[in-house]
Amino acid sequence: MGQAGFNLKFSESLMMEKYTSPLVERNASEEMSRLFGADKKFGTWRRLWLELAKAEKELGLDITDEQISEMKSNLDNIDYDKAKEYEKRFRHDVMAHVHTFADAAPSAAGIIHLGATSCYVGDNADLIILREAMELVKAKLASVIDLLGKFAKQYRSMPTLGFTHYQPAQITTVGKRAALWCYEFVMDYQELEHRIYKLPFRGVKGTTGTQASFLSLFEGDHEKVKALNEKVTRAFGFDKSCIVTGQTYQRKLDTMAVNTLALIAQSAHKMCSDIRLLANLKEMEEPFGKNQIGSSAMAYKRNPMRSERATSLSRFVLSLSSSPAMTAGEQWFERTLDDSANRRLVLPEAFLAVDGILEILINIAGGLVVYPKVIEARLNSELPFMASENILMAGVKAGGNRQQLHEKIRVYSQQAAERVKNEGGNNDLLERLKADEDFKDINLNEVLEPSLYIGRCPEQVDELIEKAVEPVRKANKDSLKGSAELKV
């Protein structure tokens, strides 16, 4: 075995011995996992140092083309072992990477990080990554909305029993129920768009946000300091930076980002909880693989494991949403460091979890299975009760006395309910009414047509698709996913 093969096996062995995040291994996509990886983070730090040096050179500081070129050539040449050794010595992660970068680009050693504080790279890199992560979430959320919109349209007119308090209520449609799920995700999408648009860059603000170090470098020239901030901000695709900061950007921005993820988690939890209940009723199921095992003991089972995983991850995201708020409130004066360890956990985990949730939702929404006969049977078992008012009106139109008919329907309804609950029989209200002379002139089958009771469900689905789903589709037409394969 060669050295490379030995190193790979040794690395795999360590992975088996040490804890690794289930979010990375079982749920989140490779794309999102890489976004919060070391290469992305420290590569972005080096790009921030490069753009700072370029802007400082353009504004007159003594920085050479050779220094810029050498920095540019080593943006991804990161010696992590060396960085670890420096961090052991300095107890400071940013300075460890300053020295590691300087070793790779020795001509630039004297100007890397010139005038900057640690949060110049740390905070600005976080904002760059947060923005990219939100864009990735937005694209996947658009796919969920697209798939649910298609499903809602397909079943826009299929009557189904509606529930309030998980008790039989009025009739809705399968498509209208899906439209309820879809609309919540549309709201989340709109909030996410707003957060992406409003997200500022920290910018070039100096040690405690006063820009004093840069004012000194440019010999008191305020316009050059302002220009430096604007140049670096634009270099990373931001059109605005924080107007004022302390040493860090306002941690409230983290709260806003994670709260937006929590909104998505709420919607996912609601949708998947409904699907779990519908699976028990055998009206609708998530996709179930040909070789999938529902239970190690009960071979017949078809557990809704995708929906269960999504609700589980959603609870995790909801639990994380309070942490950034507490961190933001704890920042004394210009900053404290008690934010650091917390943010290293909360921000990646929240995004990785939501990414995993969306992968699951795309998988579910792209393969929902509907059982029309079960839906029809349950609807018919309750429909006579729901149609009682229409039966009453039809009886009056046929010449009956409203009060007398009402009393008979009330008595027959209670008798039918008694039969269902105490005897386990079917709902025979219709048969009882047909046997009564006062209802002989009524076409009860016509009155019991389910489509009479769905109101504007089909039209409401159409309106949602036109006003909410189509704009999302158009904005994301090149990134919509029709399905997603789960890692596990």
Side-chain angles (χ1 to χ4, degrees):
M1 181 189 299
Q3 185 63 36
F6 173 80
N7 288 340
L8 178 60
K9 283 196 168 291
F10 180 71
S11 174
E12 289 174 348
S13 175
L14 284 178
M15 286 177 64
M16 296 299 105
E17 293 174 8
K18 297 168 68 175
Y19 174 83
T20 55
S21 172
L23 292 174
V24 173
E25 290 193 353
R26 297 178 65 86
N27 301 293
S29 66
E30 294 300 318
E31 191 175 6
M32 186 65 82
S33 298
R34 285 194 297 269
L35 202 50
F36 287 96
D39 284 348
K40 177 66 177 180
K41 176 179 179 178
F42 298 117
T44 304
W45 282 14
R46 290 193 174 187
R47 285 161 175 79
L48 282 158
W49 281 318
L50 173 64
E51 293 302 330
L52 177 64
K54 286 168 61 178
E56 288 174 335
K57 180 181 186 299
E58 290 173 15
L59 291 167
L61 294 190
D62 187 15
I63 296 172
T64 67
D65 289 338
E66 179 192 359
Q67 290 171 315
I68 296 295
S69 178
E70 195 166 29
M71 290 172 73
K72 192 173 183 179
S73 297
N74 287 279
L75 292 175
D76 298 308
N77 177 25
I78 303 173
D79 188 333
Y80 287 106
D81 290 333
K82 184 176 285 188
K84 285 181 182 177
E85 288 302 315
Y86 275 128
E87 188 166 356
K88 278 184 183 178
R89 189 193 316 175
F90 300 138
R91 306 297 298 172
H92 197 289
D93 58 347
V94 173
M95 286 308 299
H97 279 271
V98 168
H99 281 267
T100 304
F101 195 15
D103 289 348
S107 70
I111 57 96
I112 294 172
H113 200 66
L114 183 58
T117 186
S118 298
C119 289
Y120 165 70
V121 288
D123 274 26
N124 282 321
D126 284 348
L127 290 167
I128 291 166
I129 292 168
L130 284 180
R131 183 179 62 178
E132 290 185 31
M134 285 194 284
E135 289 285 1
L136 182 54
V137 168
K138 189 179 81 165
K140 293 186 179 184
L141 188 56
S143 292
V144 174
I145 291 167
D146 172 56
L147 291 168
L148 287 177
K150 290 175 179 175
F151 181 85
K153 184 175 182 179
Q154 181 180 355
Y155 294 99
R156 62 192 284 278
S157 301
M158 180 182 283
T160 189
L161 183 60
F163 293 92
T164 59
H165 313 274
Y166 201 38
Q167 301 300 311
Q170 291 190 336
I171 299 172
T172 183
T173 68
V174 173
K176 169 62 189 296
R177 181 174 283 148
L180 293 177
W181 304 333
C182 186
Y183 189 37
E184 290 203 11
F185 287 118
V186 169
M187 293 178 182
D188 303 334
Y189 180 91
Q190 292 168 345
E191 180 65 19
L192 190 58
E193 270 195 319
H194 175 72
R195 286 288 151 232
I196 294 169
Y197 174 72
K198 286 290 186 180
L199 188 70
F201 202 53
R202 176 190 179 271
V204 184
K205 296 294 197 295
T207 308
T208 55
T210 65
Q211 297 179 299
S213 58
F214 297 105
L215 195 62
S216 176
L217 282 174
F218 289 107
E219 299 179 346
D221 190 328
H222 288 266
E223 292 306 312
K224 284 190 175 182
V225 175
K226 287 167 61 179
L228 178 69
N229 182 68
E230 290 168 5
K231 282 178 178 290
V232 176
T233 297
R234 287 197 301 271
F236 288 95
F238 287 81
D239 60 6
K240 53 187 169 294
S241 63
C242 296
I243 298 172
V244 293
T245 70
Q247 189 171 90
T248 68
Y249 68 73
Q250 283 73 12
R251 294 303 184 226
K252 189 178 292 290
L253 293 173
D254 295 341
T255 309
M256 292 173 177
V258 177
N259 281 350
T260 304
L261 300 182
L263 294 177
I264 298 170
Q266 292 168 29
S267 303
H269 201 299
K270 154 68 176 167
M271 169 182 159
C272 290
S273 294
D274 283 356
I275 291 172
R276 291 163 68 186
L277 293 169
L278 289 167
N280 172 261
L281 298 177
K282 296 181 174 58
E283 292 189 7
M284 183 187 294
E285 286 182 344
E286 62 182 38
F288 196 88
K290 180 180 178 182
N291 298 312
Q292 182 175 331
I293 295 174
S295 168
S296 62
M298 295 167 279
Y300 60 87
K301 293 196 77 180
R302 292 171 67 93
N303 298 333
M305 53 80 70
R306 293 164 172 83
S307 297
E308 289 174 317
R309 185 187 294 187
T311 53
S312 182
L313 290 173
S314 295
R315 286 199 301 274
F316 175 65
V317 175
L318 291 171
S319 73
L320 290 180
S321 63
S322 63
S323 202
M326 291 188 283
T327 298
E330 186 70 11
Q331 295 307 289
W332 303 346
F333 301 113
E334 281 63 51
R335 84 96 35 114
T336 62
L337 195 60
D338 65 339
D339 61 338
S340 179
N342 185 281
R343 296 176 69 250
R344 288 173 194 255
L345 291 168
V346 172
L347 296 179
E349 296 280 280
F351 276 97
L352 290 167
V354 165
D355 184 72
I357 290 167
L358 292 173
E359 289 284 307
I360 295 167
L361 294 183
I362 292 169
N363 179 275
I364 292 173
L368 281 170
V369 181
V370 175
Y371 295 105
K373 293 298 183 183
V374 179
I375 291 172
E376 183 181 7
R378 179 163 288 106
L379 184 57
N380 288 339
S381 71
E382 298 288 344
L383 187 57
F385 294 141
M386 297 175 187
S388 59
E389 186 175 10
N390 285 37
I391 293 171
L392 176 62
M393 295 300 102
V396 172
K397 287 181 180 178
N401 179 286
R402 192 266 179 201
Q403 313 313 329
Q404 291 176 0
L405 294 178
H406 181 278
E407 178 60 18
K408 286 193 173 185
I409 292 173
R410 185 188 71 81
V411 171
Y412 290 148
S413 295
Q414 290 182 359
Q415 291 172 350
E418 182 86 3
R419 184 171 189 271
V420 170
K421 293 176 181 178
N422 291 335
E423 300 175 20
N426 65 316
N427 182 349
D428 65 350
L429 174 59
L430 194 59
E431 286 72 21
R432 293 175 188 270
L433 293 173
K434 285 180 178 179
D436 191 302
E437 280 294 312
D438 286 344
F439 295 92
K440 64 179 174 51
D441 294 329
I442 303 172
N443 186 338
L444 291 173
N445 291 329
E446 184 177 283
V447 174
L448 291 173
E449 168 54 46
S451 62
L452 295 174
Y453 303 94
I454 63 174
R456 298 191 66 254
C457 285
E459 290 75 20
Q460 288 179 350
V461 170
D462 294 343
E463 189 172 357
L464 176 73
I465 292 171
E466 177 190 353
K467 294 184 176 180
V469 176
E470 283 300 333
V472 172
R473 284 175 178 159
K474 288 178 182 177
N476 298 273
K477 60 183 179 180
D478 296 327
S479 62
L480 294 176
K481 297 170 66 175
S483 62
E485 291 297 321
L486 302 185
K487 280 188 174 181
V488 180

